[in-house]
Amino acid sequence: LNFPRELRNYLCLKKFFELQQQKKIISLNFSNILIHKHKMSQPFVFDEKTEAAVVGDDDADTVIVTYGRVTKNAYEAFNELKVTHKIKLIKLVRIYPYDTDFILSHLKNAKTLFILEEGIKSGGIAEKISSSICDKFCGKVIIRAVDNEFAFHATVDELYDYFGMSSNAIVDELK
């Protein structure tokens, strides 16, 4: 949907106050940057322009890009890996169209880009991101997604384990 900017800003402020009452947001900066806790211990910095949230080292060797509820697993892995690795986590709020330059700006020192998505690998967002940066990023790209197969009936956590999307699987992959 394309809202007029004033309406978008109103909706963002309305959402801010709702989240503030739920104690999920700690502050609002009127330069359109929002710092929030997102049910996690370390704050993300949310940029309204790019509609993405970022946490981690500016000079990260490894960058994880994800979206949706699988962010929880990525965040748990990030917290474990940040002790021994220079790492950054980017949570896309709007997955398409995404800002390729924004993603590239966070890959300046990176050697590894790990893209985690709940969808299928073939034709998914991870594949689109990978192909959009391939001419400017020379590092290793790892895509963790459903490997183009039918998912069996199971709990979400069982499926994350099966498809290598659990926090433990992410840590093992990036160690």
Side-chain angles (χ1 to χ4, degrees):
L1 296 172
N2 274 332
F3 293 114
R5 184 157 185 78
E6 298 80 24
L7 180 57
R8 257 185 80 202
N9 288 342
Y10 167 75
L11 292 174
C12 288
L13 282 173
K14 185 175 180 213
K15 186 67 174 172
F16 165 76
F17 290 118
E18 287 172 15
L19 292 172
Q20 187 181 43
Q21 287 177 339
Q22 297 170 17
K23 301 197 184 318
K24 292 182 185 172
I25 291 182
I26 52 178
S27 70
L28 177 65
N29 177 334
F30 284 96
S31 65
N32 291 334
I33 294 180
L34 175 65
I35 299 174
H36 65 98
K37 289 223 173 206
H38 191 69
K39 298 182 190 175
M40 300 171 193
S41 60
Q42 187 169 349
F44 279 80
V45 177
F46 180 77
D47 184 339
E48 183 185 320
K49 179 181 171 235
T50 59
E51 296 187 33
V54 181
V55 64
D57 296 314
D58 287 335
D59 60 342
D61 294 328
T62 303
V63 176
I64 301 171
V65 176
T66 190
Y67 65 91
R69 66 180 168 194
V70 76
T71 300
K72 179 181 179 281
N73 297 354
Y75 188 79
E76 288 171 1
F78 164 83
N79 275 329
E80 187 171 334
L81 290 166
K82 74 179 181 181
V83 176
T84 56
H85 293 70
K86 290 184 177 186
I87 192 162
K88 181 181 288 188
L89 173 62
I90 300 172
K91 177 188 180 200
L92 301 176
V93 177
R94 179 186 64 205
I95 58 173
Y96 196 80
Y98 53 86
D99 187 340
T100 302
D101 292 332
F102 170 78
I103 293 171
L104 284 168
S105 73
H106 289 282
L107 296 175
K108 289 180 183 171
N109 297 317
K111 295 177 180 81
T112 304
L113 171 62
F114 184 88
I115 309 171
L116 179 66
E117 77 162 297
E118 292 178 311
I120 61 167
K121 190 180 286 186
S122 179
I125 296 301
E127 193 175 79
K128 289 182 183 350
I129 291 171
S130 177
S131 66
S132 72
I133 64 164
C134 69
D135 60 336
K136 294 183 179 144
F137 177 67
C138 298
K140 180 179 180 182
V141 177
I142 302 167
I143 296 175
R144 178 66 63 226
V146 176
D147 200 14
N148 306 325
E149 62 183 83
F150 188 76
F152 57 91
H153 182 75
T155 67
V156 173
D157 288 334
E158 289 170 338
L159 290 170
Y160 284 156
D161 286 337
Y162 179 78
F163 290 112
M165 296 179 200
S166 67
S167 59
N168 290 334
I170 297 166
V171 168
D172 290 345
E173 181 89 31
L174 295 177
K175 272 190 175 176

